Amino acid sequence: MDIFCFKNTKKIKSFCFLCFLLFFASLSFADEGMWLFSNPPKEKIREKYGFEITPEFLDLLQKSSIRFGNGGSGSFVSSQGLVMTNHHVAVSSLQKLSKPGKDLVRNGFYAPTPQEELKCEGLELIQLMEIQDVSEEIHADLNAGSPENADQIRKEKINQIEQEGLNRMLEKGFARSSLKCEVVSFYEGGLYHLYIYRRFADVRLVFAPEESVGFFGGDPDNFEFPRYVLDVSFFRIYDKGAPYHPEKYLRWSSRGAKEGELVFVSGHPGRTNRFNTMDHLFFQRDEYYPYLMSSIRRKEVLLQTYAQRGKEEARQVASELFSIQNRRKNREGILLGLQTPDLIRQKFLEEQNLMNALIEKNLVVPDKYDPWKSIKDALEVYKKLMIPYDMLERGSAFDSELFKIARSIVRIAEESEKSDEKRLMEYRDSVLSALKENILNPGPIYPEAECIKLTSSLGSFLESQQIPPFWKKILKSQSPRQKAIELLSQTKLTDPAERKRLLDLDLASLKQENDPMIQLALTVDPTAREIRSLYEKKVQDPLRKAYTAIAQARFQLKDANYYPDATFTLRLSYGKIAGYIEDNGKTIPPWTFMSGAFQHAEKHDFIPPYDLAESWIKNKKDLDLSTPLNIISTNDIIGGNSGSPLINTKGEIVGLIFDGNIQSLVANFIYTDKQARALSVHSSAIQEGLQKIYRTDRILNELGK
Amino acid sequence: MDIFCFKNTKKIKSFCFLCFLLFFASLSFADEGMWLFSNPPKEKIREKYGFEITPEFLDLLQKSSIRFGNGGSGSFVSSQGLVMTNHHVAVSSLQKLSKPGKDLVRNGFYAPTPQEELKCEGLELIQLMEIQDVSEEIHADLNAGSPENADQIRKEKINQIEQEGLNRMLEKGFARSSLKCEVVSFYEGGLYHLYIYRRFADVRLVFAPEESVGFFGGDPDNFEFPRYVLDVSFFRIYDKGAPYHPEKYLRWSSRGAKEGELVFVSGHPGRTNRFNTMDHLFFQRDEYYPYLMSSIRRKEVLLQTYAQRGKEEARQVASELFSIQNRRKNREGILLGLQTPDLIRQKFLEEQNLMNALIEKNLVVPDKYDPWKSIKDALEVYKKLMIPYDMLERGSAFDSELFKIARSIVRIAEESEKSDEKRLMEYRDSVLSALKENILNPGPIYPEAECIKLTSSLGSFLESQQIPPFWKKILKSQSPRQKAIELLSQTKLTDPAERKRLLDLDLASLKQENDPMIQLALTVDPTAREIRSLYEKKVQDPLRKAYTAIAQARFQLKDANYYPDATFTLRLSYGKIAGYIEDNGKTIPPWTFMSGAFQHAEKHDFIPPYDLAESWIKNKKDLDLSTPLNIISTNDIIGGNSGSPLINTKGEIVGLIFDGNIQSLVANFIYTDKQARALSVHSSAIQEGLQKIYRTDRILNELGK
């Protein structure tokens, strides 16, 4: 059959019906879902794996789970507040703790005594203590009020609930600073939960391996399997100056998990769009991602070429180049998934089933309001707006730190004249001082790198042939390079004092300034705002409305297979340890061994990023090279899950999630267990490394080893 | 003023008129032109430089100039048949002469005795002995016959003239094998010349430096200035086993040329499109080059990523990656030029002047036939055809050596059933055996590299959203990767015997074969041919007709400023030694020194391609480091000019052309002397290197040093 006719849904209703049973049969076997702890897929797990999830089991996982303020996950692994996460989650802390001559990222760290543990300033961890369903209260207030005031009513009610939760905890004796109360919405407002977190601000670094171990294989190996990393680090939480004793923590399993074994992941997946309609997926596949990839490749080649000019140039753009390569690989993985008809077919069948069910139960009445059509229409508008919006409002046509500063200065002046609630989101009082701080103290700005980026981005704007009168206005009779040079050589925004002075001006005064970058930002702004406003009214709002309608209707189906999109809140995922078969027919076994790390380094002549650390080479003779190193499973995870524990049915740690393979990247939109796999460091490898390479007796004792 | 309104020519007629004089003033100072030796710009040179070109001067330059069969230029530099060209022109010969353990590309070569000079099999050089204007004869025959038979009449007359030329030379005692007679057409048939070449097949290698000297700075430095290369090599022509004594050769100037000095280049520029209309230039700027750049970047990132997998992978794609990076830089330079309003303005004024002059003299009668409109209309069609044509007919959707083989096999079968003159050009009898040889003995084919390229190209086809029903037919319900793997794992075209067997089949039999790559080629072919035929009829033919009309009309103007587009034939260019001012205001002096090579290598830590050869390091103490190394001039050159001598007014060699800077790349379309420069190796540096680094006394003696 032909997947591409799916766009015309009418023709294939009969075919679709035939697939119906087949589909449900297949679905019931898939380990899909990022489940709320309040609604775990008990039956599915019982049916497929014969395991009964008990309240005690859930409680252990929930209370042992940790969320990192900078976007990762972790878990308590000892009674002494020891927290395990990935090396790559620890990197920003390692960077902050480094000094000239003491490079913790490169060389790793171990505190042989408690006194030597290093406090991580600014690092905040939270742990979910309580979940309370507050949907009824909020819905009651919403139903009692008028629909126009819904936003206001919801906001007030949420404030009230959060305050009550806080008071309750204060009464129990918790300190204000150790609490975080938050009402979170799921299913687009179908469900509201109050989450009460314990908050930890005294976090200290205990152990991290060398970067060449924690990120062995670097960018080329990222999102790949087989893999050979020991992507682990340990922190300790302190409370009032002493190690914190958590209510629950996860025990260690030295033996790990065997093939086919049921395993759980408890962590904080970031964002998914699992419920995108078919039209939306086609839009992503045919419009958005191809455009995005083309922009990314352009920038990658640009930075790569610049880096080749010399050592200093390479240093200047190293992290930007790394991040763009990482993005390219990630987005390419997503696009490859969207271009896989099997996956699209699966989504199509899901959508057909959902449509039929909702219409049958009168939860959606297309003649009154058809959310699918509404999404399709909004995307038709977006198709036309996408490039101008990216170029002018997101600023892709002006890829320069100094332009970003100029725009912020201009917008701060304009937005500050409005009352807080009427401002653009990113200029509200709550974030304004941080934004100003950023303008006064931005990262280093390299004039030549600025110049090539601004030249290329002005060129891309010109080549896009979007709003020609507008780029005529901007470029006048100059080439992109001439314009970039003029802007960068004449602007005074490189001077912090000048930025400070301009920040204090109102819009009328700014217009009198002759700084060309400020003038450019002023020229761009009205059109950019117009496009943004069009985008919000004709794309964002209709999409939100339509997805809310679908989500809420779907929630009323009480469908046991319906889990909410990821939102950085704590979720449970289940799956099994399993290899897979590559498209080329090659069988990929579910694990690698420590011996593989050495072979992999040798294959690449130990050239970075394959320069396996000296500590491994030196201690190779003592290692049991047959220890499993990395392990893969069918768990449904995504970015944000980094550092999550992989847990067996006894509640023991058998691994540490650190990545997904390329085939898993489409998890943004679609779960698949055919080839997509979650990647973990095997618990035995962590133990073997701590014992025989890093000799961290203190940690091993705490893990009971 | 605003360059972008140029698309609407009516609005600015009045403005244009104002610029008229200004334009002619500027034009008369520009060193533009790739001039025929039969029509050198004597007056322009006399006026601007006060130098009188004599017939003797022209004769010396013409007879000393050499064309390399593989596309470069060179010159006689001694009475003993010594020929100088670039190292990069010699590279293919160096590769062929290399053996395991004897890498002439890497290590260079010097023959200290005549006996040690190495014969270069397959290398053919030619030298233009006589030029004869045969326009009248051809035009007379054309005028006497009917227009429908024009092609046939022209072909026959040309054959006859070439045969007569040949006979004349045979009578003079030349051997048949030492001759090449060719009628070449200029100004789209306005002018015909008979070129009689002396042909040399016994060419021996005398000297080449190390690659790290000849191509110092590699790809990052290519098309850049300042530069520091000794991109030189020497060959010797033999005749009947002894060194050939040329009628003329160029003397050596040790002192080179001073700033502002008049210099000539005599060489073989490849292809230009100097007479593209404004609409055509806009098409190139807005459609063709942006699309091309996006395809190139996609492939560059793909190959780069593949090369990062490991040493072996890097080796497999090294030359393809190098060539794509080179193309990217070159095409980017062209696009940057097209995006420079100054240049576009210059072309616009030229076009306006030409239009006015032709219409005024009734050489073009727009009401009867408007070639500009015809070009515009053809490009409107091309705009729609461009991507499908590239994808299906050029085969960009199927980037695989095995697909290319399959397509050739399929087309050979189909074309062989036709009479020779009805076949597609590339399947005529004259080239068929070479094509078959290529199919039987292609270069190495690497399965995994094939797979990533085919996957990516199928993906790009899908993403282009061109002819959706067609890619449905090709991909069926597979992803690009699944399809690529299926094709590559099931085809038997990797087996030479199988290719041989298939080559012998007729079309009907091929259709019975189940090789999936053959089947794919069969599926693609009808649509590809249809697009090609549309392209030829609706784009190529109308463009050719319109450009012929313009060129012939223009030729009748007897405009002294009108030189023909480059065609790999011998041309004269003049200019002066001159630095320039970068867009950023930086002054670039017209030369670099040998000291700079060492500094440049140090700046890059001697890491390849900055690993300046040991021979330089070792002999540094003996060198006069203040010797000028590279030198730049305003000469109008392009690819094909590589290896051309740079000659002073005494007819002495002052340098050796090896490259153009980025700003010169737009020379495809537009000459500019604001920043565009021709790059030469300075004659003193060649001499200093031969004396103190390579100690090639024999060569120095011949050069009279």
Side-chain angles (χ1 to χ4, degrees):
Chain A
M1 64 155 296
D2 183 345
I3 194 62
F4 302 106
C5 65
F6 279 171
K7 280 188 175 180
N8 186 341
T9 54
K10 280 174 196 165
K11 283 187 190 161
I12 42 164
K13 282 272 164 74
S14 57
F15 163 78
C16 147
F17 208 76
L18 287 168
C19 299
F20 208 85
L21 288 174
L22 193 69
F23 158 63
F24 269 113
S26 85
L27 197 77
S28 65
F29 285 113
D31 298 328
E32 180 174 353
M34 299 172 176
W35 301 92
L36 293 174
F37 272 72
S38 57
N39 181 33
K42 287 187 182 182
E43 279 177 37
K44 288 163 78 86
I45 294 172
R46 188 190 305 126
E47 269 175 38
K48 183 166 176 186
Y49 293 101
F51 176 71
E52 192 66 45
I53 295 192
T54 61
E56 294 72 34
F57 185 79
L58 284 177
D59 193 52
L60 170 66
L61 267 52
Q62 176 192 318
K63 295 206 169 134
S64 304
S65 295
I66 291 285
R67 179 168 131 187
F68 274 69
N70 54 1
S73 299
S75 59
F76 281 124
V77 292
S78 89
S79 62
Q80 306 293 309
L82 194 66
V83 170
M84 179 170 75
T85 186
N86 290 141
H87 173 265
H88 75 266
V89 171
V91 158
S92 57
S93 300
L94 297 174
Q95 263 161 351
K96 281 190 197 162
L97 290 168
S98 292
K99 289 174 217 155
K102 196 185 159 198
D103 186 341
L104 268 54
V105 177
R106 192 182 160 81
N107 304 320
F109 174 79
Y110 172 54
T113 64
Q115 292 71 34
E116 287 163 276
E117 294 178 0
L118 296 175
K119 186 155 184 194
C120 302
E121 296 298 338
L123 181 62
E124 186 181 293
L125 310 190
I126 56 177
Q127 177 250 326
L128 181 57
M129 294 192 287
E130 282 186 27
I131 302 171
Q132 189 188 335
D133 190 338
V134 294
S135 312
E136 267 186 43
E137 296 173 62
I138 296 175
H139 288 150
D141 273 28
L142 284 172
N143 293 336
S146 78
E148 305 91 79
N149 299 330
D151 278 352
Q152 191 57 28
I153 295 170
R154 189 185 298 107
K155 207 171 165 185
E156 280 168 16
K157 189 68 192 175
I158 284 175
N159 267 339
Q160 183 202 327
I161 293 170
E162 288 175 352
Q163 197 54 52
E164 285 168 6
L166 207 55
N167 292 339
R168 190 152 37 82
M169 298 309 284
L170 293 174
E171 279 163 25
K172 285 189 188 173
F174 285 96
R176 174 68 192 86
S177 63
S178 73
L179 291 172
K180 179 181 159 86
C181 290
E182 192 177 41
V183 169
V184 287
S185 140
F186 302 105
Y187 307 106
E188 310 286 337
L191 184 72
Y192 291 96
H193 279 174
L194 171 65
Y195 276 20
I196 300 180
Y197 294 98
R198 170 89 198 216
R199 187 171 176 167
F200 304 102
D202 187 351
V203 186
R204 305 190 190 172
L205 178 67
V206 180
F207 168 81
E210 306 89 337
E211 188 177 29
S212 62
V213 168
F215 195 45
F216 179 62
D219 190 51
D221 272 15
N222 212 1
F223 308 124
E224 300 285 343
F225 194 78
R227 277 287 273 291
Y228 313 92
V229 295
L230 200 77
D231 189 358
V232 64
S233 67
F234 289 94
F235 290 88
R236 189 185 309 284
I237 290 179
Y238 280 73
D239 187 26
K240 303 188 187 100
Y244 174 72
H245 301 291
E247 190 189 332
K248 305 269 178 185
Y249 68 92
L250 299 170
R251 261 69 178 181
W252 196 262
S253 162
S254 311
R255 71 155 189 91
K258 62 182 188 300
E259 193 164 356
E261 187 172 327
L262 171 64
V263 282
F264 295 90
V265 171
S266 169
H268 303 82
R271 297 259 169 237
T272 56
N273 295 284
R274 286 285 168 85
F275 306 105
N276 268 193
T277 63
M278 289 309 291
D279 288 314
H280 209 154
L281 289 179
F282 288 134
F283 178 81
Q284 307 283 13
R285 184 192 68 185
D286 299 336
E287 307 293 336
Y288 184 73
Y289 279 91
Y291 170 71
L292 184 67
M293 286 304 296
S294 158
S295 316
I296 289 177
R297 287 193 200 102
R298 180 179 187 125
K299 185 140 180 193
E300 179 172 350
V301 168
L302 183 79
L303 294 177
Q304 187 85 259
T305 308
Y306 183 71
Q308 280 179 347
R309 289 195 198 171
K311 265 182 309 181
E312 170 53 20
E313 286 87 348
R315 190 195 64 78
Q316 287 172 11
V317 296
S319 82
E320 199 174 358
L321 181 57
F322 172 77
S323 114
I324 200 93
Q325 287 175 327
N326 206 279
R327 272 187 77 203
R328 185 248 307 151
K329 201 164 179 180
N330 179 293
R331 304 306 189 273
E332 194 170 61
I334 295 175
L335 183 55
L336 284 176
L338 292 171
Q339 288 175 344
T340 302
D342 283 350
L343 300 187
I344 294 291
R345 190 181 293 128
Q346 173 184 327
K347 290 302 276 192
F348 168 76
L349 294 172
E350 284 175 28
E351 177 166 281
Q352 289 297 309
N353 292 332
L354 178 64
M355 271 183 181
N356 292 340
L358 294 181
I359 293 172
E360 197 179 295
K361 299 208 171 172
N362 266 324
L363 292 166
V364 166
V365 184
D367 288 342
K368 280 171 72 181
Y369 175 67
D370 182 344
W372 282 274
K373 180 163 184 316
S374 190
I375 289 167
K376 189 174 184 177
D377 293 345
L379 293 172
E380 279 303 314
V381 178
Y382 191 23
K383 202 164 149 179
K384 294 189 196 89
L385 278 180
M386 184 177 74
I387 300 179
Y389 181 79
D390 180 53
M391 289 285 171
L392 299 187
E393 175 57 20
R394 284 211 191 100
S396 297
F398 317 100
D399 185 8
S400 143
E401 293 308 312
L402 292 171
F403 176 80
K404 277 182 208 136
I405 288 171
R407 154 165 291 186
S408 295
I409 290 174
V410 165
R411 287 203 164 171
I412 285 173
E414 184 161 354
E415 295 299 302
S416 298
E417 293 172 5
K418 302 175 187 166
S419 61
D420 196 51
E421 76 281 3
K422 288 198 173 149
R423 292 186 201 158
L424 297 173
M425 285 289 289
E426 62 276 28
Y427 295 90
R428 303 249 163 112
D429 281 336
S430 55
V431 288
L432 201 56
S433 64
L435 178 60
K436 287 185 178 176
E437 173 56 28
N438 237 328
I439 292 171
L440 295 175
N441 296 302
I445 293 173
Y446 304 107
E448 194 48 31
E450 284 274 286
C451 186
I452 57 143
K453 286 194 280 180
L454 188 51
T455 300
S456 174
S457 57
L458 286 170
S460 77
F461 183 32
L462 202 153
E463 288 154 36
S464 75
Q465 298 188 59
Q466 299 289 327
I467 17 181
F470 193 67
W471 51 257
K472 282 190 245 173
K473 201 160 141 188
I474 289 169
L475 286 175
K476 302 229 171 63
S477 57
Q478 291 176 295
S479 73
R481 182 166 159 80
Q482 289 163 343
K483 186 75 201 173
I485 287 169
E486 182 195 273
L487 286 165
L488 294 167
S489 63
Q490 294 178 14
T491 183
K492 295 197 175 57
L493 289 175
T494 40
D495 175 9
E498 178 68 1
R499 295 200 291 270
K500 175 99 192 60
R501 186 182 72 79
L502 293 170
L503 257 184
D504 292 337
L505 299 183
D506 61 13
L507 189 62
S509 313
L510 269 183
K511 286 182 179 167
Q512 305 306 314
E513 293 289 325
N514 57 12
D515 190 290
M517 204 62 97
I518 293 285
Q519 283 303 323
L520 174 63
L522 284 165
T523 309
V524 173
D525 220 39
T527 312
R529 282 171 181 270
E530 203 180 306
I531 292 169
R532 175 175 178 153
S533 155
L534 254 176
Y535 169 76
E536 286 174 352
K537 274 183 209 140
K538 303 281 185 183
V539 182
Q540 202 180 61
D541 291 351
L543 285 180
R544 189 180 293 146
K545 186 182 164 199
Y547 278 118
T548 302
I550 296 174
Q552 292 185 349
R554 181 168 185 169
F555 187 64
Q556 291 176 57
L557 276 183
K558 308 282 175 214
D559 173 1
N561 289 322
Y562 186 33
Y563 57 91
D565 261 322
T567 51
F568 276 113
T569 51
L570 188 66
R571 301 297 177 92
L572 181 69
S573 134
Y574 67 100
K576 65 179 180 202
I577 305 296
Y580 60 99
I581 298 169
E582 281 271 19
D583 283 333
N584 61 10
K586 204 174 154 190
T587 298
I588 307 294
W591 27 50
T592 62
F593 300 96
M594 287 183 108
S595 54
F598 292 95
Q599 288 154 9
H600 201 53
E602 266 164 43
K603 189 195 157 196
H604 292 89
D605 280 344
F606 292 88
I607 292 168
Y610 300 99
D611 50 339
L612 192 60
E614 193 52 38
S615 63
W616 279 56
I617 314 288
K618 214 173 59 191
N619 294 297
K620 184 177 175 187
K621 58 183 188 316
D622 297 334
L623 290 175
D624 175 358
L625 292 173
S626 68
T627 310
L629 178 48
N630 293 165
I631 182 175
I632 57 179
S633 61
T634 60
N635 294 77
D636 188 1
I637 63 157
I638 203 158
N641 266 120
S642 283
S644 301
L646 188 74
I647 305 158
N648 66 15
T649 51
K650 291 187 208 153
E652 296 168 339
I653 287 185
V654 295
L656 170 65
I657 291 286
F658 70 92
D659 202 358
N661 64 358
I662 283 178
Q663 294 93 332
S664 80
L665 293 171
V666 73
N668 258 33
F669 300 109
I670 308 169
Y671 170 83
T672 150
D673 62 4
K674 200 176 159 202
Q675 298 174 327
R677 291 295 177 271
L679 277 49
S680 299
V681 187
H682 196 280
S683 57
S684 324
I686 297 174
Q687 192 177 323
E688 185 78 2
L690 292 178
Q691 264 171 0
K692 299 184 184 163
I693 299 174
Y694 301 103
R695 304 178 198 263
T696 61
D697 299 345
R698 246 166 28 94
I699 301 177
L700 288 161
N701 285 340
E702 282 187 63
L703 300 179
K705 299 298 151 190
Chain B
M1 66 153 296
D2 183 345
I3 192 59
F4 301 106
C5 64
F6 277 172
K7 278 189 175 179
N8 186 340
T9 54
K10 281 175 197 166
K11 282 186 189 164
I12 42 164
K13 282 271 162 77
S14 58
F15 163 79
C16 151
F17 209 75
L18 287 168
C19 298
F20 210 84
L21 288 173
L22 194 69
F23 157 65
F24 268 113
S26 85
L27 198 76
S28 65
F29 286 113
D31 299 328
E32 182 173 352
M34 298 171 176
W35 301 91
L36 293 175
F37 271 72
S38 57
N39 181 34
K42 288 186 181 181
E43 281 176 36
K44 289 162 78 88
I45 294 172
R46 186 190 307 125
E47 271 175 38
K48 183 166 177 186
Y49 293 101
F51 175 70
E52 192 65 44
I53 295 192
T54 61
E56 295 71 34
F57 185 79
L58 283 178
D59 194 52
L60 170 66
L61 268 51
Q62 177 192 317
K63 296 211 170 130
S64 303
S65 296
I66 291 287
R67 180 168 131 187
F68 274 68
N70 55 2
S73 299
S75 59
F76 281 123
V77 292
S78 90
S79 63
Q80 307 293 308
L82 195 65
V83 169
M84 178 170 74
T85 186
N86 291 140
H87 173 265
H88 75 267
V89 171
V91 158
S92 58
S93 301
L94 297 173
Q95 264 162 350
K96 279 189 199 161
L97 290 167
S98 293
K99 289 175 215 151
K102 194 184 160 198
D103 186 341
L104 299 193
V105 178
R106 193 182 160 82
N107 303 320
F109 175 79
Y110 172 54
T113 64
Q115 292 71 34
E116 287 163 278
E117 294 178 0
L118 295 176
K119 184 153 186 197
C120 301
E121 296 297 339
L123 181 62
E124 185 181 294
L125 309 191
I126 56 177
Q127 177 250 324
L128 182 57
M129 295 191 286
E130 282 185 28
I131 303 172
Q132 189 189 336
D133 189 339
V134 294
S135 311
E136 268 185 43
E137 298 173 60
I138 295 175
H139 288 151
D141 274 28
L142 284 172
N143 293 337
S146 79
E148 304 92 77
N149 299 331
D151 278 352
Q152 190 58 28
I153 295 171
R154 189 185 298 110
K155 207 172 166 183
E156 280 169 15
K157 188 68 192 171
I158 285 175
N159 267 340
Q160 183 203 326
I161 293 169
E162 288 175 352
Q163 196 54 52
E164 285 168 7
L166 207 55
N167 292 339
R168 189 153 37 84
M169 298 309 285
L170 292 174
E171 279 163 26
K172 286 189 187 170
F174 285 95
R176 173 70 191 86
S177 63
S178 73
L179 291 171
K180 179 180 158 89
C181 290
E182 193 177 39
V183 169
V184 287
S185 140
F186 302 106
Y187 307 107
E188 310 284 340
L191 185 72
Y192 291 94
H193 279 174
L194 172 65
Y195 276 22
I196 300 180
Y197 294 98
R198 170 91 198 213
R199 188 171 174 165
F200 305 101
D202 186 351
V203 186
R204 305 189 191 173
L205 179 66
V206 180
F207 169 80
E210 306 88 337
E211 187 176 30
S212 62
V213 168
F215 194 46
F216 179 63
D219 190 52
D221 272 15
N222 211 2
F223 308 123
E224 299 285 343
F225 194 78
R227 276 287 273 291
Y228 313 91
V229 295
L230 200 77
D231 190 357
V232 64
S233 67
F234 290 94
F235 289 88
R236 190 184 308 285
I237 290 180
Y238 280 72
D239 187 26
K240 303 190 189 101
Y244 173 72
H245 301 292
E247 189 189 333
K248 305 269 177 185
Y249 68 92
L250 300 170
R251 261 71 178 179
W252 195 262
S253 162
S254 310
R255 69 156 190 91
K258 60 181 190 302
E259 193 163 355
E261 186 172 327
L262 172 63
V263 282
F264 295 90
V265 172
S266 169
H268 302 84
R271 297 261 170 233
T272 55
N273 295 285
R274 285 286 167 85
F275 306 105
N276 269 192
T277 63
M278 289 310 291
D279 288 315
H280 209 155
L281 289 178
F282 288 134
F283 178 82
Q284 307 284 12
R285 184 192 69 185
D286 298 337
E287 307 293 336
Y288 184 73
Y289 279 92
Y291 170 71
L292 184 67
M293 286 303 296
S294 157
S295 314
I296 289 177
R297 288 192 199 104
R298 182 180 186 124
K299 186 139 177 195
E300 179 172 348
V301 168
L302 184 77
L303 294 177
Q304 186 85 261
T305 309
Y306 183 71
Q308 280 179 346
R309 288 194 198 172
K311 267 182 307 182
E312 169 54 19
E313 287 88 347
R315 190 195 63 78
Q316 287 172 11
V317 296
S319 83
E320 198 173 0
L321 181 57
F322 171 76
S323 115
I324 200 92
Q325 286 174 329
N326 207 278
R327 275 186 75 202
R328 185 247 308 150
K329 202 164 177 181
N330 180 292
R331 305 306 188 274
E332 195 170 60
I334 296 175
L335 183 55
L336 285 175
L338 292 172
Q339 288 175 344
T340 302
D342 283 350
L343 300 187
I344 293 291
R345 190 182 294 127
Q346 173 184 327
K347 291 302 276 190
F348 167 76
L349 294 172
E350 284 175 29
E351 176 165 282
Q352 289 297 308
N353 293 332
L354 178 63
M355 270 183 183
N356 292 340
L358 294 182
I359 292 171
E360 199 180 294
K361 300 208 171 173
N362 266 326
L363 291 166
V364 166
V365 184
D367 288 341
K368 279 171 73 183
Y369 174 66
D370 183 344
W372 283 275
K373 180 163 184 316
S374 191
I375 289 167
K376 189 174 182 177
D377 293 345
L379 293 172
E380 281 301 316
V381 178
Y382 191 23
K383 200 165 151 178
K384 293 189 198 92
L385 278 181
M386 185 177 74
I387 301 178
Y389 181 78
D390 179 54
M391 289 286 172
L392 298 188
E393 177 56 21
R394 285 212 191 96
S396 296
F398 316 100
D399 185 6
S400 142
E401 294 308 313
L402 293 171
F403 176 80
K404 278 181 205 134
I405 288 171
R407 154 166 290 187
S408 296
I409 290 174
V410 165
R411 287 201 164 172
I412 287 173
E414 185 160 352
E415 294 299 302
S416 299
E417 292 172 7
K418 301 176 189 165
S419 61
D420 197 50
E421 77 281 4
K422 289 200 171 147
R423 292 185 202 159
L424 298 173
M425 287 288 289
E426 62 277 27
Y427 295 90
R428 302 250 164 110
D429 280 336
S430 56
V431 288
L432 202 55
S433 65
L435 179 60
K436 286 184 178 174
E437 173 55 29
N438 236 329
I439 291 171
L440 295 175
N441 295 303
I445 293 172
Y446 304 107
E448 193 49 29
E450 284 275 285
C451 186
I452 57 145
K453 286 194 279 180
L454 189 51
T455 299
S456 175
S457 57
L458 287 170
S460 76
F461 184 33
L462 201 152
E463 287 155 35
S464 74
Q465 298 188 58
Q466 300 289 327
I467 18 180
F470 192 68
W471 50 257
K472 281 190 245 172
K473 201 159 139 188
I474 290 168
L475 286 175
K476 301 230 170 67
S477 57
Q478 290 176 296
S479 73
R481 182 166 159 79
Q482 289 164 344
K483 186 75 203 174
I485 287 169
E486 182 194 272
L487 286 165
L488 294 167
S489 63
Q490 293 179 14
T491 183
K492 294 196 175 56
L493 289 175
T494 41
D495 176 8
E498 178 69 0
R499 295 200 291 269
K500 175 99 192 60
R501 185 182 72 79
L502 293 170
L503 258 183
D504 292 337
L505 299 183
D506 62 11
L507 189 62
S509 312
L510 269 182
K511 286 183 178 166
Q512 304 307 313
E513 293 290 324
N514 58 12
D515 190 291
M517 204 63 96
I518 293 285
Q519 282 302 322
L520 174 63
L522 284 165
T523 308
V524 172
D525 220 38
T527 312
R529 282 171 180 270
E530 202 179 308
I531 292 169
R532 176 175 178 154
S533 155
L534 254 176
Y535 169 77
E536 286 173 353
K537 274 183 209 142
K538 303 281 186 184
V539 183
Q540 204 180 60
D541 292 349
L543 285 180
R544 190 182 292 148
K545 187 181 163 200
Y547 278 118
T548 302
I550 296 175
Q552 293 186 349
R554 181 167 186 169
F555 188 63
Q556 291 176 55
L557 277 182
K558 307 283 176 213
D559 173 1
N561 289 322
Y562 186 34
Y563 57 92
D565 262 321
T567 51
F568 276 112
T569 51
L570 188 65
R571 301 298 177 92
L572 181 70
S573 134
Y574 68 100
K576 65 179 182 206
I577 306 294
Y580 60 100
I581 297 169
E582 280 272 19
D583 283 333
N584 61 11
K586 204 174 153 188
T587 297
I588 307 293
W591 28 50
T592 61
F593 302 95
M594 287 183 108
S595 55
F598 293 94
Q599 288 155 9
H600 200 55
E602 264 164 42
K603 191 198 154 192
H604 292 90
D605 280 345
F606 292 87
I607 291 166
Y610 301 98
D611 50 340
L612 192 61
E614 193 51 37
S615 64
W616 280 55
I617 313 290
K618 216 173 57 191
N619 294 298
K620 184 179 175 186
K621 56 182 189 318
D622 298 333
L623 291 175
D624 175 359
L625 292 172
S626 68
T627 309
L629 178 49
N630 292 164
I631 183 175
I632 57 179
S633 62
T634 60
N635 294 76
D636 188 1
I637 61 156
I638 202 159
N641 266 120
S642 284
S644 301
L646 189 75
I647 305 159
N648 66 15
T649 51
K650 292 188 208 153
E652 297 168 337
I653 287 186
V654 293
L656 171 65
I657 291 285
F658 71 92
D659 202 0
N661 65 358
I662 283 177
Q663 293 93 332
S664 80
L665 293 172
V666 74
N668 258 34
F669 300 109
I670 309 169
Y671 170 84
T672 151
D673 62 3
K674 200 178 160 202
Q675 298 174 328
R677 289 297 178 270
L679 278 47
S680 298
V681 187
H682 195 281
S683 56
S684 325
I686 296 174
Q687 192 178 323
E688 184 79 1
L690 293 178
Q691 266 171 358
K692 300 186 183 162
I693 299 173
Y694 300 104
R695 307 180 194 261
T696 62
D697 300 344
R698 248 168 24 97
I699 300 177
L700 288 161
N701 286 340
E702 284 187 62
L703 300 179
K705 300 298 149 192

